[in-house]
Amino acid sequence: QVIKYDSVSIQLLRKDGRMQLLAGRGFPDIELTRQITQKIPPRRFEEFLGAQHVIVLPDTHADVRWFKDIGND
């Protein structure tokens, strides 16, 4: 299935419970995005633990699971 997107990222869960941004496209500043991703508290990702599939958020502005940060809306 092909999905049209504005931005995309590939993140892996580290042993300490934080996410690591491995790759991304469509972000104004990928290094800033990488830094912000590492600061997100591990509890924000609890529902994704154990997921063995791709998670697509069709509208991040409307999704309560999305971490809204300054500079990368």
Side-chain angles (χ1 to χ4, degrees):
Q1 178 181 5
V2 177
I3 300 170
K4 187 175 179 175
Y5 62 86
D6 295 323
S7 61
V8 65
S9 66
I10 297 174
Q11 302 177 33
L12 293 179
L13 184 64
R14 301 185 326 197
K15 288 183 180 183
D16 65 1
R18 295 194 179 276
M19 297 299 282
Q20 179 179 1
L21 179 72
L22 298 179
R25 271 211 161 149
F27 297 96
D29 184 338
I30 192 65
E31 288 307 316
L32 175 62
T33 303
R34 187 171 277 119
Q35 292 170 15
I36 291 169
T37 300
Q38 292 178 4
K39 293 178 184 178
I40 300 172
R43 68 182 176 277
R44 296 284 287 190
F45 302 108
E46 286 176 352
E47 76 175 272
F48 303 126
L49 294 178
Q52 298 294 315
H53 58 277
V54 174
I55 299 169
V56 177
L57 302 177
D59 185 351
T60 56
H61 292 282
D63 197 306
V64 296
R65 299 172 296 179
W66 185 249
F67 181 78
K68 294 163 182 61
D69 63 81
I70 299 171
N72 283 329
D73 294 330

